[in-house]
Amino acid sequence: MNTTPHNERRRDFLEVDVPKALLCTTGAMSVLYFLVLTFLFRIGNPFLFALLIAGEVYHVWQVLTFIYTTWDTSVLPTPRATYTPPVDVFITVAGEPVALVEETLTAALSMRYPSFTVHILNDGFVAKKENWRDIEALAAKTGVHCITRTIAGGAKAGNINNAMRLTRSPLVAIFDADHVPHEDFLTKTVGYFADPKVGFVQTPQFYKNYATNYVTRGSWEQQELFFGPICRGKNRHHAATMCGTNMLISRRAIEEVGGMCTQSIAEDFITGMFLHERGYTSIYVPEVLAEGLATEDLLTYSKQQFRWARGALDVIFRYNPLLRSGLSWPQKIEYLASASFYLSGIVVLFDLLLPLVFFYTGAVPVQISGMLLAAVFLPYMFLTLYTIERASNFTFTFRSLGFSMGAWTIHLRALISAITYKKASFQITQKSAVSGRFTELVVPHLCYIALGAVGFVVALLRSGWSASLLNNTAWVLINTAIFVPFVVAAFPRGAHETPEPRRKRRLPVSQEIRYGELPRN
Amino acid sequence: MENSHEIKTTIYLALMMLASTLLSLCFFLHQSLRLDEAQSLWQTSRSAVGIITLVSQDVHVPLYHELLHAWRLFFGSSVPAARLLSMLFYLLGIPALYALGRLAYDRQIGLYAALLFSISPFMNWYGNEVRMYSLFTLLVICNQYCFVRLFKRMGDTHQGATWVGYMATALVGIFVHYFFFLNLLAQAAFYFLHADLFPARALRRFIIAAALVTAAFLPWVWFVHLQGQAQNQTPLLSIPTTINLFNTFAQFLFGFQSDAVNTFFLSLWPLTIIFAFLALRRGRLHSPVTEYLLLSAFLSVLIAFAISFITPVFVSRYLIFTVPALYLLLGNLFDSYAPQVGRFARSFVVLVMLVTLGVEIVSAATPVKEDYRDAATFIAQNATAQDVVALSAPFTIYPIEYYYRGQAPITTIPLWNRYAYGPIPPFSAEKLPAQVDSITADHQNVWLLLSYDQGYEQQVKAYFDTHYQRLLAITFSHDLTLYVYKIRYDTVRSQASAAVFAACMLPPKSDA
């Protein structure tokens, strides 16, 4: 068991305690706010009103589904400790540094469990990675079975499916090359499969490098909310999210759904849904049992976000849970709730546009007089924030909020890509920092700030000082403040980056790394 | 090290108190008497027993009035002397709030809250008013101090002294202002949310405290019930709107500002979300004391707001007791920010408060300023024995008669004999002509001073405008306007006075 000084970081986000009264109040306030906004004010510009209401429907949905998910986070079946079938342990590799793989491999071999076999799933060859032979050499040196694919296809899912065909154990543990398992990983997860209905067991995706720089901290802080209350809450509905690493799956279940899904870049998420559809249950074990690496720069972070967003949006547009008869209604809601998070791009865009439209045209979505809206909105907002804080055991930060909302451009791109069924490439998640400034990624944010500043002057010249002008200015300032963490992350020096020079290398921002064409990890 | 901190803290607190004292001496003590203050002076000029009877017909409880009565016996009956009593309580509130802040959070937050308290335009205003509000605030701070000690389990095992302090402040507090009960209500709500924080047998002791408070207060309730006329003595309050709700918090922070300035502050309400966002920092655990202060600062205000839909009682000064909790919460909020952001936020709020304090002092548009002194002096200098002074609303006679030394007799509209038992007669549009006739008979000019609109001010003014020739209109302060009407044309004297008014006898203030 790891005993670093930061152990509390591994536990804090998993300690969830939200009073139900708080959840009820927050839910009621969100609905009240929506009703007040929708029905109590005179409609201004109908188009803007429609945009506003669409955004608010989304916000209320987000709040209510969060409450629904986190209503009871205590559900966790008891594993049977005596159940110890053989396990195949897969370490998926596609060009990661040998030292990184070796660390994971060594940890996997050190796991305490009666019967398990470690396999390296080496995709370096098909990914045209220079070090694919080094990986084979590492496997030979450590006496580990190495499965090197020679025919590309299906990305990571294809790699796993290929290995499934060549192995036999009833359970399969999967780790990405950088996710180092704890020695008790198997002893703490296998016992759940004593129940034959369990299709997979997922554990948190902890980033041991969270403290490396501004981006890693932001990435991890975002993850804490998901792997804390949200994943814990999904246990209640047997709707744990399959995350692709740090997990244990039932071979029988996976084979029943035709292997890992190779049709989407979110192969794990969708495979999990297929398992649930076939009646398998899932369990999220709220304990850090493996430790990986967060993205260390905004470019890599953006690519990862795009991949997650595109995959999640595929769930809505191609595999809509509502149309999948095998899922229970709670499972449908859970999948929709998770996937719809990535619709935030368009909603943030609506929210950003409203004050700008006022500045440049004077049009408003609703005619508001008095402070009724504030009287409802502020308690709603504060309660929501407090609920999130309580749910995440006070690990949710302004930076994670900034990262979530700052990524609106990425989510928007993913949405367009998903709607147009544009084929998405499997973007590599770099395990080392890419140096440089990523101004391109924050151009929309900087443009928004500039448009806001100019718009303020335009509106001032048009109609002078007014309550509406001040109010809209305040909204622009809020949006600007929220963008600050994301913009700061784009300029590493300003973000107090503390990179490890030996791992830094320069990569053009525009370079696309495609699975099967270029190295992946 | 600790000693050095203590010395520094003492110096800081002393400087805050000194600054507030200087503000009082230079500005606030010498302002014109306001209506409420005049009422306090009038009520406390009676005997101790008479005060109880008078106050029971008012909307207040009598302890402050009795204290003021005694104070005036020793320190004289001038307005500044009376205000000094309030100032004393206000000054004591500064170290008291520091102590509460230090107990609730830490020294820094305590000092910051005390600083806000000492430069607060709102607190400075009521810290220099001949009313009970500064005493009310001080008692609430002391009561909250004891309450926080109870659930933080400070002191000896049984916390005997703390319980005594708690009960004593509660007993005294309920006789200073009715709204002290809202403070107790917030505490009760907190107790039921966090009973586990309190020492064993706390519930029993709270019940004892509640029984004592009830037993002590019931006789007063009975006595007020017997008097049964408070509702007719009070200024008209309307049902509050959400604007009033937010204005209250704006006043707590920025004092009394003109409508334009208030609109500016209120329009920026979305920015409060940023304050909340910036507080999102890892590991900033909420504390029970924060929950308590939130209840104290907001629950009471919301309850008063809700009650006002049945009986309007929503007046920002009645809610002054929530200000200490609000300042402590602000201090704690800024303390939760990243250091640089926190420093900026703290300095920004202090700066804005200082500016608004200055504006409140200097600006003629400050809405709570009531310049009865200038109005009375002007009338005294210009009205003659053949004229009559008519005041509406009637209770504004208190501040006017305090300053007025003129020859023209004073009356009110509606007509009201203060020395007769009973409430102020209600306004009647039907009786107005007869009342005006009785007032104007045998007089040359009417000096009509309108303030504190009770819902009929426009009717009174319209009546005079349509029946008499208006010679002059002067606004002395916000909502305090003097109109002079010519009643008779048949004498040389009246012609002469018309000529004088025609020559535009300009007062020092604005001329409408």
Side-chain angles (χ1 to χ4, degrees):
Chain A
M1 177 63 79
N2 200 318
T3 53
T4 66
H6 301 294
N7 260 350
E8 70 277 7
R9 200 88 187 208
R10 295 177 174 79
R11 288 194 305 265
D12 284 351
F13 72 102
L14 293 165
E15 290 169 7
V16 180
D17 168 34
V18 200
K20 287 190 169 53
L22 177 63
L23 292 175
C24 289
T25 312
T26 305
M29 274 312 298
S30 68
V31 174
L32 177 67
Y33 164 67
F34 177 76
L35 295 176
V36 167
L37 185 66
T38 309
F39 298 111
L40 284 196
F41 300 112
R42 200 149 55 87
I43 297 173
N45 180 298
F47 178 69
L48 294 180
F49 180 73
L51 288 187
L52 179 69
I53 295 304
E56 293 312 320
V57 167
Y58 174 79
H59 289 142
V60 171
W61 159 259
Q62 289 283 88
V63 171
L64 294 183
T65 52
F66 182 80
I67 291 168
Y68 181 67
T69 300
T70 57
W71 182 257
D72 182 359
T73 53
S74 64
V75 174
L76 184 65
T78 308
R80 193 199 300 167
T82 55
Y83 182 73
T84 54
V87 177
D88 283 317
V89 177
F90 291 174
I91 298 170
T92 56
V93 180
E96 286 85 353
V98 174
L100 191 78
V101 178
E102 189 171 11
E103 187 187 359
T104 304
L105 183 60
T106 306
L109 291 168
S110 307
M111 286 193 289
R112 285 187 280 108
Y113 189 72
S115 172
F116 69 99
T117 310
V118 177
H119 310 268
I120 293 179
L121 277 52
N122 184 12
D123 248 10
F125 177 78
V126 295
K128 296 186 173 58
K129 284 290 192 177
E130 291 168 0
N131 70 345
W132 69 273
R133 287 183 192 282
D134 299 336
I135 298 297
E136 288 201 328
L138 172 68
K141 186 179 84 177
T142 50
V144 166
H145 181 214
C146 183
I147 303 171
T148 303
R149 277 210 296 172
T150 53
I151 301 170
K156 181 181 169 186
N159 193 10
I160 293 170
N161 289 341
N162 179 55
M164 294 280 277
R165 284 192 287 274
L166 302 172
T167 54
R168 296 194 175 285
S169 298
L171 299 180
V172 176
I174 297 174
F175 299 102
D176 282 354
D178 61 308
H179 282 261
V180 180
H182 290 184
E183 60 182 17
D184 54 355
F185 181 89
L186 292 175
T187 55
K188 287 191 170 171
T189 51
V190 171
Y192 293 103
F193 286 90
D195 176 357
K197 283 190 123 7
V198 174
F200 69 94
V201 169
Q202 180 66 53
T203 69
Q205 209 169 324
F206 178 74
Y207 296 149
K208 62 186 172 191
N209 66 334
Y210 66 85
T212 301
N213 63 28
Y214 195 78
V215 176
T216 55
R217 281 191 285 269
S219 298
W220 171 239
E221 285 159 359
Q222 268 188 297
Q223 293 290 82
E224 285 178 302
L225 186 64
F226 177 72
F227 283 109
I230 294 175
C231 281
R232 289 199 67 158
K234 286 178 188 289
N235 267 348
R236 184 165 65 103
H237 300 128
H238 306 293
T241 303
M242 184 186 278
C243 299
T245 182
N246 311 344
M247 65 178 187
L248 195 60
I249 57 179
S250 155
R251 178 183 296 275
R252 182 167 59 94
I254 287 292
E255 285 175 352
E256 212 173 296
V257 296
M260 296 292 286
C261 173
T262 55
Q263 305 304 310
S264 167
I265 55 173
E267 80 291 343
D268 38 21
F269 191 42
I270 291 170
T271 303
M273 188 170 73
F274 288 168
L275 290 175
H276 288 132
E277 193 180 10
R278 297 291 292 225
Y280 283 100
T281 63
S282 56
I283 291 162
Y284 174 71
V285 178
E287 183 177 350
V288 173
L289 295 173
E291 304 189 10
L293 295 174
T295 55
E296 294 190 7
D297 60 87
L298 196 65
L299 174 65
T300 317
Y301 171 85
S302 300
K303 289 179 176 177
Q304 186 187 53
Q305 282 291 311
F306 178 83
R307 184 163 64 87
W308 291 354
R310 174 61 208 271
L313 293 171
D314 273 351
V315 169
I316 295 177
F317 294 109
R318 292 176 65 188
Y319 305 95
N320 197 307
L322 293 177
L323 306 176
R324 308 197 82 85
S325 56
L327 295 177
S328 66
W329 272 102
Q331 285 174 326
K332 289 177 182 183
I333 292 171
E334 291 292 0
Y335 272 104
L336 269 185
S338 291
S340 62
F341 167 76
Y342 293 99
L343 289 172
S344 64
I346 186 98
V347 178
V348 172
L349 179 64
F350 291 168
D351 292 342
L352 295 179
L353 284 177
L354 291 176
L356 289 189
V357 170
F358 170 80
F359 281 165
Y360 289 99
T361 69
V364 290
V366 281
Q367 306 278 356
I368 297 170
S369 60
M371 297 293 290
L372 179 59
L373 183 67
V376 184
F377 179 83
L378 289 177
Y380 153 63
M381 179 53 71
F382 294 150
L383 274 170
T384 304
L385 283 178
Y386 183 61
T387 302
I388 292 173
E389 281 293 87
R390 283 293 294 260
S392 67
N393 194 20
F394 296 89
T395 58
F396 189 71
T397 63
F398 181 55
R399 177 167 39 210
S400 52
L401 177 78
F403 270 51
S404 293
M405 292 189 65
W408 69 274
T409 47
I410 304 165
H411 298 167
L412 193 61
R413 202 156 46 86
L415 177 63
I416 294 166
S417 163
I419 290 173
T420 56
Y421 287 95
K422 185 181 171 188
K423 188 170 170 55
S425 58
F426 193 103
Q427 305 269 329
I428 290 175
T429 303
Q430 289 293 127
K431 296 301 183 285
S432 55
V434 178
S435 66
R437 294 185 170 191
F438 308 109
T439 315
E440 294 90 335
L441 295 173
V442 293
V443 164
H445 308 74
L446 298 175
C447 284
Y448 178 78
I449 294 166
L451 282 172
V454 174
F456 171 78
V457 176
V458 169
L460 186 63
L461 293 175
R462 185 184 63 237
S463 50
W465 290 100
S466 68
S468 297
L469 174 67
L470 290 165
N471 200 253
N472 281 286
T473 305
W475 284 114
V476 170
L477 288 174
I478 286 175
N479 294 330
T480 302
I482 290 170
F483 288 160
V484 166
F486 200 75
V487 172
V488 167
F491 301 95
R493 188 174 294 172
H496 310 296
E497 189 183 40
T498 52
E500 297 168 54
R502 64 186 172 82
R503 295 172 57 195
K504 280 179 71 173
R505 65 191 178 83
R506 180 164 286 282
L507 189 74
V509 171
S510 58
Q511 184 175 339
E512 288 276 313
I513 306 168
R514 294 176 184 281
Y515 189 86
E517 298 167 358
L518 281 169
R520 80 162 277 250
N521 56 349
Chain B
M1 190 67 176
E2 190 57 30
N3 262 351
S4 140
H5 274 316
E6 292 298 330
I7 291 167
K8 274 187 188 170
T9 302
T10 309
I11 291 170
Y12 291 149
L13 290 172
L15 285 173
M16 291 175 203
M17 293 168 79
L18 180 67
S20 295
T21 307
L22 287 174
L23 275 174
S24 292
L25 295 176
C26 296
F27 302 107
F28 291 110
L29 286 186
H30 306 294
Q31 294 186 100
S32 167
L33 196 66
R34 298 184 285 274
L35 170 68
D36 283 359
E37 294 182 301
Q39 207 165 5
S40 292
L41 292 180
W42 188 75
Q43 288 167 333
T44 56
S45 61
R46 301 296 182 271
S47 67
V49 176
I51 288 171
I52 290 177
T53 308
L54 275 178
V55 174
S56 72
Q57 296 167 9
D58 196 356
V59 289
H60 291 289
V61 269
L63 187 62
Y64 166 79
H65 296 80
E66 296 291 355
L67 281 175
L68 180 60
H69 176 74
W71 176 269
R72 293 176 72 192
L73 291 179
F74 285 100
F75 296 98
S77 56
S78 71
V79 174
R83 284 176 173 162
L84 278 174
L85 178 64
S86 295
M87 196 184 85
L88 180 67
F89 296 133
Y90 171 49
L91 293 178
L92 290 174
I94 294 171
L97 180 55
Y98 162 74
L100 174 60
R102 184 174 179 164
L103 174 70
Y105 296 114
D106 59 32
R107 176 179 165 274
Q108 291 292 342
I109 294 176
L111 270 177
Y112 184 69
L115 174 65
L116 295 187
F117 195 80
S118 67
I119 61 167
S120 159
F122 189 79
M123 289 311 307
N124 270 287
W125 187 265
Y126 288 110
N128 292 279
E129 185 171 272
V130 190
R131 296 298 274 176
M132 70 293 292
Y133 301 111
S134 59
L135 172 61
F136 179 26
T137 310
L138 175 64
L139 281 167
V140 167
I141 294 172
C142 295
N143 181 261
Q144 290 182 332
Y145 180 85
C146 296
F147 187 75
V148 174
R149 268 181 78 92
L150 287 177
F151 72 78
K152 282 201 147 193
R153 307 209 181 189
M154 311 284 282
D156 62 277
T157 315
H158 301 294
Q159 298 182 300
T162 309
W163 278 107
V164 169
Y166 176 74
M167 291 187 198
T169 49
L171 273 172
V172 175
I174 55 164
F175 285 102
V176 171
H177 202 283
Y178 284 112
F179 271 35
F180 197 93
F181 281 103
L182 288 181
N183 171 55
L184 299 179
L185 194 65
Q187 291 171 350
F190 179 77
Y191 175 81
F192 286 111
L193 284 174
H194 290 288
D196 55 313
L197 294 176
F198 288 84
R201 290 186 291 183
L203 180 60
R204 186 196 297 178
R205 289 180 180 182
F206 277 125
I207 291 171
I208 292 171
L212 274 175
V213 165
T214 308
F217 203 67
L218 273 179
W220 171 256
V221 175
W222 176 75
F223 186 65
V224 170
H225 175 71
L226 284 184
Q227 300 296 316
Q229 49 186 269
Q231 68 277 10
N232 293 324
Q233 294 287 86
T234 61
L236 182 73
L237 295 177
S238 53
I239 292 174
T241 66
T242 47
I243 293 178
N244 298 115
L245 185 66
F246 281 86
N247 254 337
T248 297
F249 288 108
Q251 285 172 7
F252 288 167
L253 292 172
F254 311 120
F256 300 103
Q257 304 298 330
S258 64
D259 285 348
V261 176
N262 266 346
T263 303
F264 176 83
F265 285 128
L266 294 188
S267 300
L268 293 173
W269 65 263
L271 290 181
T272 53
I273 301 166
I274 290 184
F275 285 114
F277 281 168
L278 290 174
L280 294 174
R281 293 190 72 208
R282 187 181 182 82
R284 291 300 306 189
L285 297 179
H286 78 295
S287 63
V289 79
T290 300
E291 271 184 50
Y292 167 61
L293 293 173
L294 280 169
L295 282 172
S296 182
F298 296 103
L299 182 68
S300 310
V301 175
L302 291 177
I303 290 174
F305 186 74
I307 290 173
S308 293
F309 287 91
I310 304 164
T311 304
V313 290
F314 195 83
V315 182
S316 62
R317 58 183 180 272
Y318 292 180
L319 296 160
I320 194 169
F321 69 99
T322 64
V323 172
L326 183 69
Y327 291 170
L328 284 171
L329 286 169
L330 266 186
N332 183 50
L333 181 73
F334 297 156
D335 193 57
S336 70
Y337 291 174
Q340 283 182 329
V341 180
R343 267 195 297 277
F344 173 78
R346 275 188 282 266
S347 309
F348 182 73
V349 168
V350 166
L351 185 68
V352 174
M353 267 195 171
L354 284 172
V355 170
T356 50
L357 174 63
V359 172
E360 181 182 276
I361 290 169
V362 173
S363 172
T366 300
V368 284
K369 281 183 177 169
E370 298 170 18
D371 204 350
Y372 288 106
R373 179 172 55 195
D374 277 6
T377 305
F378 181 80
I379 296 169
Q381 285 172 351
N382 295 287
T384 67
Q386 286 76 39
D387 298 340
V388 63
V389 181
L391 307 175
S392 184
F395 44 70
T396 57
I397 194 169
Y398 293 117
I400 286 294
E401 75 173 1
Y402 186 86
Y403 291 114
Y404 182 66
R405 300 290 180 270
Q407 296 173 312
I410 295 179
T411 185
T412 66
I413 299 175
L415 291 171
W416 176 41
N417 179 4
R418 275 179 299 160
Y419 301 99
Y421 184 82
I424 297 173
F427 174 78
S428 162
E430 291 74 35
K431 291 180 184 172
L432 181 63
Q435 290 192 348
V436 172
D437 283 348
S438 72
I439 290 168
T440 55
D442 305 324
H443 291 290
Q444 302 289 341
N445 299 303
V446 172
W447 298 65
L448 178 67
L449 189 64
L450 298 178
S451 60
Y452 273 94
D453 183 13
Q454 297 298 286
Y456 48 80
E457 191 176 282
Q458 281 308 312
Q459 290 182 66
V460 173
K461 180 172 172 292
Y463 184 85
F464 276 91
D465 280 343
T466 52
H467 288 76
Y468 304 105
Q469 180 194 357
R470 194 162 85 188
L471 302 174
L472 191 65
I474 308 170
T475 298
F476 287 91
S477 58
H478 178 78
D479 192 34
L480 176 60
T481 307
L482 174 71
Y483 300 94
V484 182
Y485 294 93
K486 183 177 174 62
I487 305 297
R488 302 171 71 90
Y489 297 85
D490 53 347
T491 65
V492 175
R493 166 70 194 171
S494 66
Q495 288 161 8
S497 63
V500 170
F501 288 120
C504 287
M505 185 171 48
L506 291 176
K509 297 256 167 80
S510 62
D511 187 347

